[in-house]
Amino acid sequence: MKYAMNLEMKGRRCVVLGGGPVALRKVRRLVRAEAAVTVIAPMAVMELAELALARRIQWQQRGYEESDLDGAFLVVCATNDADVNVRAAEAAKERGVLVNAPAQPALSDFTVPASLSRGKLLFTISTDGGSPALSRAIRQQLETLYPAAFGDWLDIVAALREEQKERLGTAREREQFWRMALDDGILELVRAGRLDEAKEQMLSN
């Protein structure tokens, strides 16, 4: 069983070895997390090249060198050369750098679960490698159960939470309020995109 956690990646140096579709998927998520991403690859798919042109990532257009890992927090070994991935993973671990090797799980310190984001609301699904297909199926169900409106709803609830901290003096009072305020009926209004009605009903409880 893996230990689940959310890492703060903003500004942290992350090295992605490889320029193919797998590397692209990893880069997309690292960029969304505001990591400082460097791609090392002689060639790269067009979207990676475009990200480099837009200066959202750095792209070193060459093969891997061990010094690429200096100062890195995390490395993704996603080249099409298994030996390169092994050498890079070993060198990274010697430096205390976290390793993810999508095609060679035994090299990895961590796996990246399937995920669905709605603004700041993040759902993650992991089967510990047992069935990626099941993870995808559950993610698709979550897309239906939690449409984009839930991201906006989280922003509303977060603001209200600060207001209620002052109005409700004790932890018990706050717990009782939120238990009533986030009942199934209100969440159905959110699901339908009727956020103003949901907020009004929540405050009237």
Side-chain angles (χ1 to χ4, degrees):
M1 177 66 70
K2 299 292 191 301
Y3 180 76
M5 62 181 177
N6 291 330
L7 282 173
E8 176 58 67
M9 298 300 295
K10 186 174 183 179
R12 284 181 159 166
R13 183 167 186 266
C14 298
V15 177
V16 178
L17 306 180
V22 173
L24 174 60
R25 289 197 296 273
K26 301 297 183 179
V27 167
R28 283 174 178 158
R29 295 180 71 168
L30 289 169
V31 168
R32 284 199 297 271
E34 301 182 62
V37 180
T38 298
V39 171
I40 311 292
M43 299 181 66
V45 296
M46 183 166 295
E47 187 175 332
L48 285 174
E50 290 171 347
L51 286 169
L53 283 172
R55 298 188 177 182
R56 298 185 67 190
I57 65 171
Q58 292 185 358
W59 176 23
Q60 301 293 326
Q61 199 169 353
R62 54 170 174 75
Y64 158 73
E65 298 173 2
E66 189 169 322
S67 59
D68 292 328
L69 303 176
D70 293 344
F73 174 74
L74 178 157
V75 61
V76 176
C77 301
T79 77
N80 58 7
D81 187 325
D83 290 336
V84 170
N85 292 337
V86 169
R87 286 193 288 109
E90 291 175 348
K93 290 178 181 182
E94 288 174 1
R95 289 168 164 78
V97 178
L98 292 172
V99 175
N100 177 246
Q104 294 158 278
L107 300 177
S108 298
D109 293 313
F110 67 98
T111 57
V112 181
S115 67
L116 172 68
S117 60
R118 299 300 193 211
K120 294 178 182 178
L121 181 62
L122 177 66
F123 299 91
T124 60
I125 311 102
S126 173
T127 59
D128 202 12
S131 177
L134 179 58
S135 292
R136 288 192 296 271
I138 293 172
R139 181 188 184 280
Q140 289 170 354
Q141 290 182 343
L142 288 173
E143 287 178 347
T144 302
L145 287 170
Y146 297 96
F150 274 86
D152 297 327
W153 181 241
L154 174 58
D155 293 337
I156 292 170
V157 169
L160 287 172
R161 180 171 178 262
E162 293 304 312
E163 296 174 11
Q164 297 305 320
K165 278 183 180 179
E166 296 185 10
R167 189 176 74 85
L168 302 172
T170 68
R172 182 178 180 81
E173 287 175 327
R174 290 192 290 271
E175 181 183 350
Q176 289 175 336
F177 170 80
W178 287 113
R179 188 179 296 138
M180 292 185 297
L182 294 175
D183 64 21
D184 289 344
I186 288 175
L187 295 183
E188 282 303 317
L189 289 173
V190 175
R191 193 164 282 116
R194 296 156 60 184
L195 301 186
D196 290 340
E197 291 179 54
K199 180 178 177 180
E200 182 178 346
Q201 186 171 325
M202 183 173 70
L203 292 175
S204 67
N205 282 341

